[in-house]
Amino acid sequence: MENNKKFGTKLLILILVIIVGLQIFYKIEQNIFCDQLFDMEFPDEITVVEKHKVRGKLNGNGNSMDFLACVLVKTNKTKEELELMLKNKDFNPVRKDKEEEYNDVYREVVKVNSVALETELLEHKSVSFEKLENVADFKGYYALIIYDGGYTSYFNIS
């Protein structure tokens, strides 16, 4: 009886260590991926307003792990100019274990028209721009997004 208790306790501790360890692993992956966009140097005409990062099952079905970084900016630049700026920046994928043809990070520029980010990339989660809550005119606001996903999710509680 005493051995069963000790075994059960050790098993529970092992399971908790694995769960917590994987969450730390995913958080590190997320931070490294998102910092590529967050640490990007922007021209003077672009003002960074807010930054967001999201991980987990973001869209579609299945059990994959997705990562998204978003920077809300205010600028007089056009959407096309912002898209070209993102296109010309090299972003590393979250993991290099994917097939070579899928190692390109997806980039998107979204014209922001409300407090909520509207993109097909966020089907199961959402991003809200707190600094836009009292804004009536959304002229010049854009969300710059990088996304990488489809990775095996070993265990996800995010």
Side-chain angles (χ1 to χ4, degrees), residues 20-152:
V20 171
L22 283 172
Q23 292 309 306
I24 292 169
F25 171 73
Y26 292 142
K27 187 71 169 175
I28 291 169
E29 282 186 323
Q30 178 186 31
N31 288 341
I32 291 169
F33 177 71
C34 295
D35 283 349
Q36 296 177 97
L37 181 62
F38 296 169
D39 295 342
M40 194 171 148
E41 292 190 26
F42 294 102
D44 292 337
E45 309 87 46
I46 298 175
T47 303
V48 174
V49 179
E50 232 174 285
K51 300 175 182 180
H52 291 272
K53 53 186 166 185
V54 186
R55 78 171 189 276
K57 183 64 195 157
L58 304 183
N59 55 59
N61 54 20
N63 190 32
S64 63
M65 179 64 75
D66 307 318
F67 300 84
L68 180 140
C70 169
V71 175
L72 173 67
V73 298
K74 182 160 177 66
T75 184
N76 290 326
K77 289 188 173 283
T78 65
K79 181 179 178 185
E80 291 75 22
E81 289 173 306
L82 296 172
E83 288 172 338
L84 184 61
M85 182 182 67
L86 278 186
K87 180 182 178 187
N88 290 332
K89 170 79 170 127
D90 288 329
F91 295 105
N92 293 317
V94 175
R95 299 181 196 156
K96 304 239 190 242
D97 61 3
K98 294 170 73 174
E99 292 180 27
E100 191 65 36
E101 65 186 276
Y102 298 109
N103 272 343
D104 194 30
V105 172
Y106 179 78
R107 299 152 173 88
E108 183 176 15
V109 175
V110 176
K111 173 73 178 106
V112 175
N113 297 310
S114 70
V115 174
L117 175 60
E118 297 171 12
T119 175
E120 293 179 5
L121 297 172
L122 292 173
E123 185 180 335
H124 303 299
K125 297 208 178 192
S126 63
V127 168
S128 294
F129 301 117
E130 293 177 13
K131 294 191 177 171
L132 295 183
E133 288 178 357
N134 297 318
V135 172
D137 181 12
F138 294 98
K139 183 178 181 193
Y141 286 100
Y142 293 91
L144 310 180
I145 299 169
I146 60 172
Y147 167 90
D148 196 20
Y151 294 101
T152 300

